[in-house]
Amino acid sequence: MEQENPLVVNPLQNMVFNKLFRLRILVFGVLTVGLWAIYYFVLRSGKVPAEDGPDFAYDIITNGQKKGVSVDVYYESLCPDSRSFFINELLPTVHKLGSHMFVNLIPYGRAETFVDGGAIEFKCQHGAPECLGNKVHACVIEKTLTDNALAVNVTSCLFEEYFQPTNNGEKCCRKFKVSWDDVKTCAYGSEGSQLLKKYGDMTNRLLPIDFIPTIAINNNRGSRSYQAAILKNLTHEVCKILKKNAIAPAVCGE
């Protein structure tokens, strides 16, 4: 009787072995991608994505007799997404709910600050024109500190022709009766540089920033999905907090 040679591999066994090997490679690949996704979307952000905002964002901010929602906008002057948010979300929301909001504008974005002795220089994501635009925004904010809604109106106007910060700046300041001479002197002088550096320090404390604009509601930016919800419908997110605290105006609906 002929004996089977142990050195000869059975074709059927070889096929089964190859299939099992490929299956192991596939499982390993799926697990690797899954672990990377968990790291990137959950651990790296430090928060578990959720459709709703975190509970502590529902607290109402009180300043004197005014109660409302704090909205901090981290943006840059030549950013198309910042422009879209101001014109389509922030401005309409302030018009509807301004008496229930504390808006803080931080024009800096992905810029960098360089200090050499007494000189302050900036490198901005969209070049030198954006650095000047950021300073114009910063100076408008400084000159309208006592009027939240006015600051939003003027800066939103600046975004209408945002590639011409000085020409449009004069037009917008005149439209809303803000002194363009004061804003221009500020933007081209040391005051503008100091203000932009201050906003840079504020932005750097928020790092890492994944997207411009980034919005913090009640000093919290939440998960990526919460950011997406804010950028899509700011009015809804502000109303949600006001409703939870039973101070929502009629414009928020039922």
Side-chain angles (χ1 to χ4, degrees), residues 3 6 21 31 43-45 94 113 122 163 199 202 215-216:
Q3 293 184 345
F21 180 76
L31 288 174
L43 299 180
R44 186 171 176 267
S45 68
V94 168
T113 302
F122 303 94
F163 48 88
Y199 289 131
M202 293 171 65
I215 317 301

Side-chain angles (χ1 to χ4, degrees), residues 174-226:
R174 286 180 177 175
K175 178 179 179 180
F176 292 99
K177 296 179 172 55
V178 174
S179 171
W180 169 243
D181 288 339
D182 289 347
V183 170
K184 184 178 179 181
T185 299
C186 169
Y188 281 94
S190 60
E191 184 182 10
S193 295
Q194 290 291 343
L195 288 172
L196 192 54
K197 180 181 181 300
K198 178 186 75 172
Y199 289 131
D201 293 339
M202 293 171 65
T203 301
N204 290 333
R205 286 196 290 270
L206 195 70
L207 292 176
I209 290 181
D210 298 320
F211 188 76
I212 298 295
T214 286
I215 317 301
I217 290 187
N218 290 347
N219 302 313
N220 174 67
R221 56 178 167 171
S223 64
R224 286 180 174 83
S225 60
Y226 188 46

Side-chain angles (χ1 to χ4, degrees), residues 72-128:
D72 303 334
V73 184
Y74 295 82
Y75 71 103
E76 52 197 19
S77 63
L78 294 190
C79 169
D81 292 309
S82 295
R83 179 182 188 272
S84 176
F85 177 74
F86 267 73
I87 293 175
N88 298 320
E89 294 299 328
L90 182 61
L91 183 62
T93 301
V94 168
H95 284 171
K96 297 173 187 174
L97 301 169
S99 60
H100 294 81
M101 295 173 66
F102 302 98
V103 180
N104 301 300
L105 304 178
I106 302 96
Y108 187 82
R110 299 185 188 277
E112 296 178 80
T113 302
F114 303 92
V115 180
D116 184 8
I120 305 175
E121 295 184 358
F122 303 94
K123 180 180 179 182
C124 298
Q125 182 174 207
H126 299 97

Side-chain angles (χ1 to χ4, degrees), residues 30-67:
V30 170
L31 288 174
T32 301
V33 172
L35 289 173
W36 177 87
I38 291 172
Y39 163 76
Y40 188 85
F41 291 107
V42 179
L43 299 180
R44 186 171 176 267
S45 68
K47 299 181 184 295
V48 177
E51 290 305 315
D52 215 353
D55 288 339
F56 58 84
Y58 284 120
D59 294 337
I60 283 294
I61 305 297
T62 301
N63 186 355
Q65 294 184 340
K66 181 178 177 180
K67 295 182 178 180

